Amino acid sequence: MADEKDREEIIVAEFHKKIKEAFEVFDHESNNTVDVREIGTIIRSLGCCPTEGELHDLIAEVEEEEPTGYIRFEKFLPVMTEILLERKYRPIPEDVLLRAFEVLDSAKRGFLTKEELIKYMTEEGEPFSQEEMEEMLSAAIDPESNSINYKDYITMMVIDEN
Amino acid sequence: MGCSSSSTKTRRSETSLRAALIIQNWYRGYKARLKARQHYALTIFQSIEYADEQGQMQLSTFFSFMLENYTHIHKEELELRNQSLESEQDLRDRWDYVDSIDVPDSYNGPRLQFPLTCTDIDLLLEAFKEQQDLHGKLDDLFLIFYKNGLPSERNPYVFNGDFVDRGKNSIEILMILCVSFLVYPNDLHLNRGNHEDFMMNLRYGFTKEILCKYKLHGKRILQILEELYAWLPIGTVVDNEILVIHGGISETTDLNLLHRVERNKMKSVLIPPAETNRDHDTDSKHNKVGVTFNAHGRIKTNGSPTEHLTKHEWEQVVTIFSASNYYEEGSNRGAYIKLCSGTTPRFFQYQVTKATCFQPLRQRVDTMENSAIKILRERVISRKSDLTRAFQLQDHRKSGKLSVSQWAFCMENILGLNLPWRSLSSNLVNIDQNGNVEYMSSFQNIRIEKPVQEAHSTLVETLYRYRSDLEIIFNAIDTDHSGLISMEEFRAMWKLFSSHYNVLIDDSQVNKLANIMDLNKDGSIDFNEFLKAFYVVHRYEDLMKPDVTNLG
């Protein structure tokens, strides 16, 4: 019993250190606060994948009563620790991602045209901003065919991350 | 048909909505992780720069220590160029020297006509536009002039220091600024930054640039630059309301003192000023002002001429960081401030290097990250012995493995760098399936080239680690600029160095090494050759990462 409690304490302590590291990298004034617009990046850099909606709710949880535009570490730490402990917002497995592309590719051609991709990404779900769309297109679209071969794209991105 | 098709339709649009959501969510995660990697790389650069600044403080105190303790060499020989005011004879000598320089007819670069006019500024700009150097700050300068116009009576500029070092076109920039200053002395203002300093130039590249570009007259130019630097003002006051100063101020800065200080007596941030007047009070304060310079430009707005800032005034201090791509291509944007009377200051960001602007984010991050990790590995290898000892102390079971936590603890303590070690661990070491670190893999991708086989690893490591400090010290000792120092000077300097820096290397080892390095066997050491012999070799595979941009 005692051993298990010790182990959990060690895990929590490690999480705390990890969270602190990720937070400090964005703490530009070294005063234990980060700009609220960086919270999404920090949470995702720790391996979690909340949707924009979920992120919105999380921010509400860690914000001050009167939002200042900054998030304090003391408020962020417990919320983030719990997310890690409960393994919430798990990243999307490769095969699920592939299936998502296949769903959009109703004709089962193995690719999506640039226009189709733009349409889906900017009109459905949690739409991309113009900047996000351009960023994705720059690496995903083959300029000759003006389309994205999504299987190859996914493979490349996965290698990239590892 | 109508009902079922609409429900199929809604189902299909639901699934496509969910599919789009999945892709968007995944992409945003990917992008966030890229951004985080970019920030980690920046943190590495900043940490190392900060550590270097601390190292410079240490070097500076070493110089004082050396001056007090150097008894083997005649004190006159060790004159660290601390001459005070220029005599009339010196001035005449300088003009004679300039007249004696022969510019061949074959020279087709810009020729300035004195007295200088704005035509000469244009001449220089046209000539230098050819230098499309991606790393130099010359591009930054061109962009600023392009966006804001050339300096003139109607268009005053303040350049807040650090015009030279790090880039490859420092002298071109300095020339443009100096010529502009001579043409518009009341409208172009230059502040001294911590890099307008001959010691810093030794370390950060400007000295090399000058000696490369001016093979005959380089050394003389460097001497003149030393004087020029000392006369640059420390700060500029705009309309009695705004103080622009490189490095900014701290809560304890005495602003009246800044006003009174005799700036031309401060040759270098690293050398305490000469005590030519017996005013001990001013002298001790000189030191304090001397070491508060650091790498960022600051602007301070103040309503009242108080000695120290009140809390309210302190809140108006603004920091801007001017050079784009400071650490590496694509690393950051630069900025400048436009001041108009009666309105609030306006801030502008910019970034040069068209090439990197159009690169996808992933490539820019890769470049920065590789650069940062490379530099970090060089630090790690230079402390291999100390790190290995620390690792082994923690490794009670002698398994060759430590927890990430233990590894991070050792790295932080020995290297003295406050970095996100856990997040960086995958880039720096091998981690097994249980999440444990094989600590010796910290050293696997890099090694220090041994100049001679007989040299002991610890010695090689130490000399590699301090090579830039040693370069500065040797240059300072080498008063006749011959590039050589005697064995006696070397041994004496080393004794002081090792005691001051707490380096536990046997004197005999160093002597042996020096003897081997004495290639001419004439009792003197070519210290540039000596130091060049210590360099690192990165493993080839690591430098060539697959570059996949678009799918084909």
Side-chain angles (χ1 to χ4, degrees), chain A residues 10-160:
Chain A
I10 294 177
I11 292 176
V12 168
E14 259 310 290
F15 279 164
H16 280 184
K17 292 208 191 96
K18 245 180 111 169
I19 296 168
K20 186 158 192 284
E21 269 188 6
F23 191 88
E24 277 179 351
V25 159
F26 290 89
D27 178 11
H28 302 300
E29 286 165 47
S30 301
N31 58 0
N32 291 324
T33 67
V34 302
D35 190 314
V36 63
R37 291 166 291 185
E38 313 264 43
I39 287 291
T41 311
I42 297 175
I43 296 179
R44 287 168 174 142
S45 77
L46 287 163
C48 305
C49 285
T51 63
E52 292 288 284
E54 288 164 337
L55 189 58
H56 190 82
D57 293 337
L58 282 171
I59 290 178
E61 255 191 87
V62 296
E63 250 177 349
E64 305 296 317
E65 305 254 319
E66 302 265 343
T68 58
Y70 288 95
I71 306 294
R72 282 187 301 124
F73 182 64
E74 299 83 52
K75 285 204 107 171
F76 182 71
L77 183 65
V79 172
M80 194 66 223
T81 310
E82 196 176 310
I83 293 174
L84 289 181
L85 277 172
E86 294 179 11
R87 298 171 61 83
K88 278 167 114 177
Y89 313 125
R90 296 274 79 210
I92 295 147
E94 214 178 308
D95 56 335
V96 172
L97 185 58
L98 181 59
R99 246 180 295 141
F101 275 105
E102 285 172 347
V103 161
L104 298 181
D105 176 20
S106 44
K108 305 285 169 252
R109 299 155 297 177
F111 64 85
L112 288 172
T113 66
K114 182 174 164 187
E115 288 71 34
E116 284 170 340
L117 185 66
I118 293 177
K119 180 167 131 297
Y120 284 124
M121 293 294 104
T122 57
E123 291 176 20
E124 306 253 16
E126 290 171 332
F128 273 172
S129 66
Q130 195 186 353
E131 197 196 328
E132 284 171 318
M133 193 69 250
E134 278 170 15
E135 259 298 326
M136 185 180 187
L137 289 173
S138 71
I141 295 288
D142 167 23
E144 281 185 27
S145 60
N146 239 6
S147 66
I148 163 177
N149 178 323
Y150 44 83
K151 207 156 182 218
D152 289 345
Y153 175 63
I154 293 173
T155 314
M156 173 188 90
M157 297 296 255
V158 167
I159 292 178
D160 215 30

Side-chain angles (χ1 to χ4, degrees), chain B residues 424-450:
Chain B
L424 294 171
S425 56
S426 53
N427 283 325
L428 296 170
V429 279
N430 293 343
I431 302 182
D432 69 13
Q433 320 100 303
N434 301 324
N436 289 322
V437 170
E438 294 162 13
Y439 53 80
M440 290 310 282
S441 65
S442 311
F443 313 114
Q444 68 187 350
N445 290 318
I446 179 172
R447 68 174 198 279
I448 304 177
E449 199 57 59
K450 273 192 186 183

Side-chain angles (χ1 to χ4, degrees), chain B residues 29 126 163 365:
Chain B
E126 273 313 305
F163 321 124
V365 172

Side-chain angles (χ1 to χ4, degrees), chain A residues 14 17 21 25-26 38 41 44-45 49-50 52 100 121 124 126-127 132 135-136 138 142 157 160-161, chain B residues 19 22-28 30 32-33 35-36 39-40 361-362 405 420-423 548 550-551:
Chain A
E14 259 310 290
K17 292 208 191 96
E21 269 188 6
V25 159
F26 290 89
E38 313 264 43
T41 311
R44 287 168 174 142
S45 77
C49 285
E52 292 288 284
M121 293 294 104
E124 306 253 16
E126 290 171 332
E132 284 171 318
E135 259 298 326
M136 185 180 187
S138 71
D142 167 23
M157 297 296 255
D160 215 30
E161 287 249 69
Chain B
I22 287 175
I23 297 171
Q24 287 155 344
N25 188 351
W26 161 82
Y27 185 77
R28 287 182 170 122
Y30 165 78
R33 284 186 290 280
K35 241 184 123 190
H39 274 77
Y40 289 141
L361 182 64
R362 201 208 93 239
S405 200
W421 294 107
R422 283 162 190 76
S423 313
V548 185
N550 284 324
L551 304 170

Side-chain angles (χ1 to χ4, degrees), chain B residues 40-272:
Chain B
Y40 289 141
L42 271 173
T43 305
I44 292 176
F45 288 129
Q46 283 165 353
S47 243
I48 289 184
E49 182 169 6
Y50 180 70
D52 275 353
E53 283 172 17
Q54 306 300 96
Q56 270 150 48
M57 308 268 246
Q58 192 179 22
L59 185 62
S60 150
T61 43
F62 174 69
F63 270 117
S64 320
F65 180 68
M66 193 162 76
L67 282 171
E68 287 166 39
N69 293 286
Y70 226 151
T71 50
H72 291 231
I73 312 274
H74 302 295
K75 275 231 161 80
E76 309 91 68
E77 279 181 39
L78 196 60
E79 192 189 52
L80 288 171
R81 305 176 211 166
N82 248 346
Q83 294 140 354
S84 50
L85 304 165
E86 199 180 24
S87 66
E88 270 209 44
Q89 180 60 39
D90 292 333
L91 198 58
R92 251 176 279 134
D93 286 345
R94 179 176 297 163
W95 279 115
D96 288 341
Y97 184 83
V98 169
D99 285 337
S100 73
I101 295 177
D102 173 45
V103 182
D105 291 332
S106 56
Y107 173 71
N108 57 0
R111 288 173 194 257
L112 301 173
Q113 303 271 39
F114 287 79
L116 296 171
T117 61
C118 48
T119 324
D120 297 289
I121 304 179
D122 289 332
L123 198 65
L124 284 184
L125 289 173
E126 273 313 305
F128 296 153
K129 272 213 173 85
E130 309 298 306
Q131 321 256 20
Q132 287 303 317
D133 173 19
L134 289 174
H135 296 277
K137 295 194 202 122
L138 195 54
D139 282 351
D140 284 32
L141 186 60
F142 282 149
L143 192 138
I144 289 173
F145 281 161
Y146 173 71
K147 295 221 147 181
N148 299 288
L150 294 182
S152 71
E153 301 103 342
R154 295 167 313 276
N155 200 15
Y157 273 86
V158 178
F159 283 90
N160 197 12
D162 276 8
F163 321 124
V164 299
D165 278 336
R166 292 192 208 270
K168 294 188 184 152
N169 295 113
S170 299
I171 188 62
E172 283 87 351
I173 292 173
L174 194 58
M175 253 193 266
I176 292 172
L177 292 176
C178 285
V179 168
S180 304
F181 172 70
L182 288 171
V183 178
Y184 298 110
N186 298 315
D187 305 296
L188 186 110
H189 305 274
L190 302 172
N191 284 345
R192 186 178 188 183
N194 62 309
H195 279 269
E196 277 70 55
D197 180 322
F198 74 95
M199 293 255 161
M200 295 291 275
N201 295 161
L202 275 171
R203 194 185 230 150
Y204 287 98
F206 187 42
T207 308
K208 285 202 184 83
E209 182 186 330
I210 296 275
L211 293 174
C212 265
K213 290 181 177 172
Y214 299 95
K215 300 218 157 53
L216 277 180
H217 304 289
K219 292 199 167 129
R220 192 62 206 259
I221 293 174
L222 288 171
Q223 279 173 355
I224 296 174
L225 280 172
E226 272 179 53
E227 288 241 22
L228 174 71
Y229 289 156
W231 280 107
L232 287 170
I234 298 171
T236 298
V237 181
V238 182
D239 286 350
N240 268 328
E241 269 184 17
I242 300 180
L243 169 66
V244 183
I245 187 167
H246 186 90
I249 52 180
S250 71
E251 286 100 356
T252 54
T253 306
D254 180 353
L255 298 169
N256 284 332
L257 167 68
L258 278 184
H259 198 68
R260 286 198 317 262
V261 98
E262 286 176 79
R263 63 178 190 263
N264 64 305
K265 300 240 177 74
M266 291 163 54
K267 292 295 174 191
S268 165
V269 162
L270 297 175
I271 300 179

